[in-house]
Amino acid sequence: MWLNPEEVLLKNALKLWATERSNDYFVLQRRRGYGEGGGGLTGLLVGTLDAVLDSTAKVAPFRILHQTPDSQVYWSIACGATREEIEKHWEWLQKNVMSTLSVFDSSEDITSFVQGKIRGLIAEEGKSSLVKEEDPEKFREALLRFQKWFGLPKKEKLVTYYSCSYWRGRVPCQGWLYLSTNFLSFYSFLLGAEVKIIISWDEMWKLEKTSTVLLTEGIHVRARGEDYDFSMFLHLSETFLLMEQLADYSLRRLFDKETFEGDPALRDPLQITKRGLETRARNEQFRAFFRLSRSENLLEVHESFLWVPFSQFNTLGKICVSESYLCFASQDGSQCYVIIPIREVLRVETPDNGSKALTVCVRGKRALRFTEVRDFVHLAAKIRRKCGAAASPQHSDSGEVPREVCQALIEHCEDNPEEEALMVGQTGSSRAVSTEALMTVFHPQDAENLDPKMLKEKMKEQSWNIHFAEYGRGVSMFRTSKTRDLIVRGVPEALRGELWMLFSGAVNDMATHPGCYAELVEKSVGTSTLATDEIERDLHRSLPEHPAFQSDTGISALRRVLTAYAYRNPKIGYCQAMNILTSVLLLYAKEEEAFWLLVAVCERMLPDYFNHRIIGALVDQAVFEELIGLRLPQLTDHMTDMTFFSSVSLSWFLTLFISVLPIESAVNVVDCFFYDGIKAVLQLGLAVLDYNMERLLHCHDDAEAVTSLNKFFDNVTNKDSPLPSTVQQAQVGNDGSKSQVKVDITDLIRESYEKYGDIRSEEVESLRRRNRLYVIHTLEDTTKQNVLRVVSQEVKFSAGDLDELFELFKKQHFLSCYWSMSCPALTHHDPSLPYLEQYQLGSEEFRALYCLLSPWAHCSSRDALALATFRLLDENQDGLVNFKEFCCGLDVMYSGSFTEKLKFLFKLHLLPVSLPGLSQDGVIRKSPERGKGKVDLQAYLKQWQDELLKKEESIKDLPRINQSQFIQFSKTLYNLFHGAPEEESLYRAVTTVTSLLLRMEEVGRRLQGAQGEGSPSHTGTADSTPLREEEEKEWSFAFEQILASLLNEPVLVRFFEKPEDMRAQLDHARAAQLKA
């Protein structure tokens, strides 16, 4: 390839390069140790040097240099992996450049012309190149090495590469780690010892940072049952983060079948770059910290000081700008942060150029002053432009605020922070079906009630009102450690809905989607799907002891919210535990607010919790177990089986403790969850186990431990709850709980923050990413065992061979997804299908695997045979073949008797030419109703019954094979025998059988014709002549005739009954699958 011209001093390079051609202006050289005369000690030393120094010469041992007679400096302009490649470049230079150089007078002009010519060639190549990196020249060289060393398809996109060491035992192998879209690859060459590793991201069970005395800091990978350790990274954290992202991307794309439609950085696997992944990581961190929707992206970051009126000082932090928000976080990330929706901004001022100040006026008589903003003029202009395009729907008629009014507002807010009012628009929500929270309907607060609990409730409200006066109220409120302290002490009943909306970010979702909920309710009402059936079944199981859900008012509101959400997000639809969570949301929030809270929980705060595999909850369980091992080691030492914690804690995560705690206590947990996310639930889980440590250590089995925890939860109370006894949940097992000490939920939550509050959200997210690999592969392993158990009853393969067949089949399924955005496996994935059909192959993928595994793959017409086999195995004609169908076909080829194999071949030639389910463009056209509408359970039951009652197909049931089909059948037999030891005998046997069958058919036709002429019904009219000629042309054979004829040839019987070596074919397929 052409290289960007670089200076080369030949004085230092002569010992490593040998000149093969030269003229006045160019030199063609070969790297010593390569090509003719290469090898030996020189080859070992040079190869090692090239590998360690990451020299292009390792994969491109030929190069062309440009020289001028008057200069000692040479310029490298081209390199090549083969002699043929470099000679093409040499000939091009001779033909297109040499004749032009003679017209120049000076060597400087010659060099300038050559450099310009080469750069022009590189630019032309780059127009169609996928390389979009900061240093394209070095990346092109790395890409050349990557493609040469690993032999992966050229479509595989290299993302980045790093120098590191791979530890083979206790010996470090210095080399290069290449991270691509679908693979982690490593190459090392030291003194003749070549190390080459290729691991696909979907094979990884574990990916973690390690730190030992021997390896210092490194990265540990576990895949395919083996461990790989890499260390000596220059940028360890950056490398590990990219590896985590690529592994997570692969899992979501291949296992969860995500298409990333809303994420341009990941939508196309052929366009993924390091810069795009880094940008995506920053966007995810930004959205998670400020609880923003997935449509928001971090556009700009500015360092600045923010005037904090309640503390009367400037705090250093960063301004983060997205499409619709202006956010600020102090330097430590927790001391103070604020979120300003652009729709709420009234005016932006830059009053003081000297201090580089920027003042943002927002609704509700609030003003925020930022100082020392380096590019404050640009930032102010940007916010002004966004304000003009994002006026809030509720305030679009407010008009422009005069400058002097805004300045007076700023001064007033700085002097009188306690007078900041409730934001305009906070109470003016969009029109909803029900406009009141159920708690206000079924338990209205009595202002005249002066009992101690109500007085305590009033004091809480007063504390929050004071907090609002100091820190602001609504979406632009300052969030500080004092806010968390108030949350821990418990939120007043009257403010709970408002604060849940605020801290979850649901208030922004509702404000930016006015009328959306009412529209969804209208569209979803009366629909009948599997989700609506499950919702109806669970409606009366949702807080049945609460009066609100003993009436039609509460049940109807719950039905509307759940049905509307299932309609909005069919990928999640409805999952158990959503009803319990939504019930609690409806108690304290209006119906529309409850809907947007549910959206925030399901799509942002608890990702992947509510689906058919509840992967998110299982991942957080694994995180919880890891935290138990770190924080409560005495418990893990006592418990021999950690699955106890998984079985106990699943409901804690799925329902946020609502299903195990009394409702008046559980809502305090929900308060903390909406402020701190899953971190609050993990902390509380650790505090519960810590509180019950002594009892758990004395338990003899899991059942006793579960009983002990249930008794504990029954005795958790909320002494400050103002709810009457009719609303509070009745405690279970009161008879035996008199000796149990009552525990106040506020004290328990406070203890969880004091002991485990140092757990950071970033740490939790890192643990989530790490454990997700293990959880998904554990589920996949369970799925595989279920599939193998079903299929093993249908075939004769051994358990080991069947296991390897499944891995090859699954890998082929993934290969169809690696480099395509629109492969059938992704675009037509249906998560409602049973586990047996989660992995399926289209015709092209089936053909590739058939050619690797079939004992008949050596046949010259193997592609046609593979297509016919695909059509035969595709019983439901959906254009896809599942693992069971594939194994049944392969089982006949390897283990079938002579009759079974012959019948299989016979049926292959009975099929029509067209492939059902495939259009002309090769894309599968499935029924649009599949997986979306209401499932016809009766049809599934009938199909299952038919399969159970399906009798062995009799050879008499097979139709006759016609003339053209029989000719093709004979050709297939001839092709199958090619290369066999008894090839000539087999050919003669087939010729004999074919001749015999044709003579038998001819005799039969003559006898039939003679009987026809002598029959009284024969009229001899002219009209019957064409019909008789047509009949004479058409002839056919029954399967019994063909079978009987072939049985007379022992050589044919021996050929079909000889055992096939399945093990050798599996080994070959495993080695060649990726290259195929």
Side-chain angles (χ1 to χ4, degrees), residues 158-176:
L158 177 63
V159 176
T160 189
Y161 59 99
Y162 298 96
S163 172
C164 71
S165 289
Y166 162 67
W167 289 81
R168 189 163 56 176
R170 295 192 175 186
V171 179
C173 302
Q174 181 66 31
W176 291 86

Side-chain angles (χ1 to χ4, degrees), residues 141 240 282 445 763 796 813 969 1002 1047 1066:
E141 295 178 11
F240 184 71
R282 286 195 298 270
Q445 290 191 9
E763 179 186 354
K796 302 181 183 68
H813 169 88
F969 175 78
E1002 184 65 27
L1047 283 171
L1066 285 171

Side-chain angles (χ1 to χ4, degrees), residues 846-862:
F846 177 89
R847 182 195 61 77
L849 195 57
Y850 173 92
C851 293
L852 290 173
L853 289 172
S854 173
W856 301 341
H858 65 277
C859 174
S860 61
S861 59
R862 65 180 184 181

Side-chain angles (χ1 to χ4, degrees), residues 838-1022:
Q838 285 301 305
Y839 298 118
Q840 302 182 87
L841 300 182
S843 59
E844 279 302 309
E845 295 77 38
F846 177 89
R847 182 195 61 77
L849 195 57
Y850 173 92
C851 293
L852 290 173
L853 289 172
S854 173
W856 301 341
H858 65 277
C859 174
S860 61
S861 59
R862 65 180 184 181
D863 289 346
L865 203 58
L867 183 61
T869 306
F870 178 84
R871 296 200 309 263
L872 180 63
L873 298 179
D874 183 18
E875 295 180 357
N876 58 357
Q877 298 185 353
D878 64 348
L880 293 170
V881 167
N882 63 35
F883 180 66
K884 179 183 175 182
E885 293 167 339
F886 178 79
C887 284
C888 288
L890 212 58
D891 186 54
V892 173
M893 300 179 203
Y894 277 98
S895 308
S897 64
F898 173 77
T899 303
E900 289 172 337
K901 290 180 180 178
L902 197 64
K903 184 171 71 173
F904 189 80
L905 282 169
F906 183 85
K907 290 166 69 175
L908 289 181
H909 294 83
L910 291 173
L911 294 170
V913 178
S914 62
L915 179 61
L918 285 184
S919 65
Q920 292 181 354
D921 58 1
V923 179
I924 297 175
R925 306 294 187 217
K926 284 191 177 182
S927 167
E929 301 300 323
R930 183 171 185 179
K932 292 187 178 180
K934 188 174 181 179
V935 178
D936 190 350
L937 298 178
Q938 294 295 328
Y940 274 111
L941 290 172
K942 186 177 185 304
Q943 181 183 351
W944 183 44
Q945 185 179 19
D946 292 342
E947 288 180 0
L948 291 175
L949 298 177
K950 185 165 59 178
K951 63 178 181 178
E952 184 68 26
E953 185 179 40
S954 171
I955 59 176
K956 294 181 179 180
D957 298 332
L958 293 172
R960 295 173 69 87
I961 193 169
N962 63 32
Q963 179 178 340
S964 60
Q965 292 169 341
F966 179 74
I967 293 172
Q968 191 60 45
F969 175 78
S970 302
K971 287 182 180 179
T972 300
L973 289 178
Y974 276 112
N975 289 328
L976 285 176
F977 302 149
H978 180 68
E982 299 179 287
E983 183 175 353
E984 291 186 10
S985 300
L986 289 165
Y987 285 160
R988 285 197 298 270
V990 172
T991 303
T992 303
V993 169
T994 305
S995 301
L996 177 62
L997 286 169
L998 290 172
R999 286 199 299 271
M1000 289 170 57
E1001 179 65 18
E1002 184 65 27
V1003 170
R1005 285 197 168 275
R1006 287 180 181 175
L1007 290 173
Q1008 187 178 0
Q1011 291 173 1
E1013 289 175 2
S1015 62
S1017 60
H1018 180 65
T1019 61
T1021 60

Side-chain angles (χ1 to χ4, degrees), residues 584-628:
V584 175
L585 298 179
L586 282 167
L587 290 178
Y588 294 97
K590 300 171 184 178
E591 189 174 319
E592 184 180 9
E593 293 175 341
F595 171 80
W596 290 111
L597 283 169
L598 184 63
V599 169
V601 171
C602 294
E603 298 176 13
R604 288 202 303 274
M605 303 188 72
L606 296 179
D608 296 330
Y609 261 61
F610 302 101
N611 54 41
H612 67 291
R613 295 200 295 176
I614 58 170
I615 289 175
L618 296 176
V619 169
D620 283 343
Q621 277 188 311
V623 172
F624 185 53
E625 288 179 14
E626 196 165 339
L627 290 173
I628 293 172

Side-chain angles (χ1 to χ4, degrees), residues 104-124:
F104 293 100
D105 296 329
S106 67
S107 59
E108 289 81 4
D109 292 340
I110 293 173
T111 301
S112 177
F113 173 78
V114 171
Q115 289 179 348
K117 196 75 174 176
I118 299 303
R119 291 192 179 103
L121 291 172
I122 294 173
E124 283 297 317

Side-chain angles (χ1 to χ4, degrees), residues 71 79 115 210 447 463 568 649 720 758 783 847 889 953 1016 1065:
S71 175
C79 67
Q115 289 179 348
T210 56
S463 298
R568 176 187 186 271
S649 62
D720 297 332
D758 58 331
T783 298
R847 182 195 61 77
E953 185 179 40
Q1065 204 73 16

Side-chain angles (χ1 to χ4, degrees), residues 719-775:
K719 62 184 181 183
D720 297 332
S721 174
L723 299 181
S725 57
T726 55
V727 173
Q728 295 187 19
Q729 287 181 327
Q731 295 178 355
V732 182
N734 282 337
D735 296 339
S737 63
K738 292 182 180 178
S739 59
Q740 291 277 350
V741 178
K742 300 292 183 184
V743 181
D744 185 64
I745 187 63
T746 306
D747 296 335
L748 189 62
I749 290 174
R750 183 182 296 111
E751 185 177 341
S752 75
Y753 273 90
E754 290 173 355
K755 288 188 174 181
Y756 308 109
D758 58 331
I759 298 174
R760 296 180 299 111
S761 298
E762 294 81 3
E763 179 186 354
V764 172
E765 289 303 317
S766 177
L767 290 173
R768 274 178 161 178
R769 288 192 295 269
R770 188 168 75 197
N771 284 282
R772 184 179 172 83
L773 291 170
Y774 174 77
V775 167

